[in-house]
Amino acid sequence: MDTHESRAADRGPGTMERGTSQRLAARQRMWVHSWTGLCVLATLWSLAWVVGWISGVEDSWAFAAAGLVLLGCASWARRSAIRNAPPRHL
């Protein structure tokens, strides 16, 4: 086997030890995915209560407003997580 072939076979994601760039990038991706999931849930919550409000369910506007506040907070946190992510080219 060539040295070129052995180098190609050795490539991988690298070590996931503390302080490595791979571990930091994985943690950042986890935060982005978590906040994205929360944004989706808050959107569905708000839409469900808006539909309830339109169809005449009592006090559903308060739940829709709370869902929109949660959606705003989750969107802000997701945007911050993406902005604070390390550069992808490293």
Side-chain angles (χ1 to χ4, degrees), residues 54-77:
I54 291 171
S55 58
V57 175
E58 204 170 306
D59 294 333
S60 60
W61 64 271
F63 288 103
L68 290 174
V69 169
L70 288 173
L71 177 61
C73 292
S75 297
W76 174 80

Side-chain angles (χ1 to χ4, degrees), residues 1-85:
M1 185 152 82
D2 276 2
T3 56
H4 179 68
E5 289 177 12
S6 65
R7 282 190 207 139
D10 290 340
R11 286 191 180 163
T15 59
M16 294 292 279
E17 295 176 9
R18 289 181 180 209
T20 60
S21 61
Q22 290 85 2
R23 185 170 176 150
L24 295 173
R27 175 176 286 153
Q28 194 66 31
R29 279 192 309 272
M30 186 260 323
W31 279 112
V32 170
H33 292 309
S34 299
W35 288 117
T36 302
L38 187 60
C39 286
V40 169
L41 288 176
T43 302
L44 292 175
W45 167 287
S46 299
L47 286 176
W49 284 106
V50 165
V51 168
W53 182 34
I54 291 171
S55 58
V57 175
E58 204 170 306
D59 294 333
S60 60
W61 64 271
F63 288 103
L68 290 174
V69 169
L70 288 173
L71 177 61
C73 292
S75 297
W76 174 80
R78 180 182 182 273
R79 189 178 54 121
S80 295
I82 291 172
R83 187 180 337 126
N84 294 333

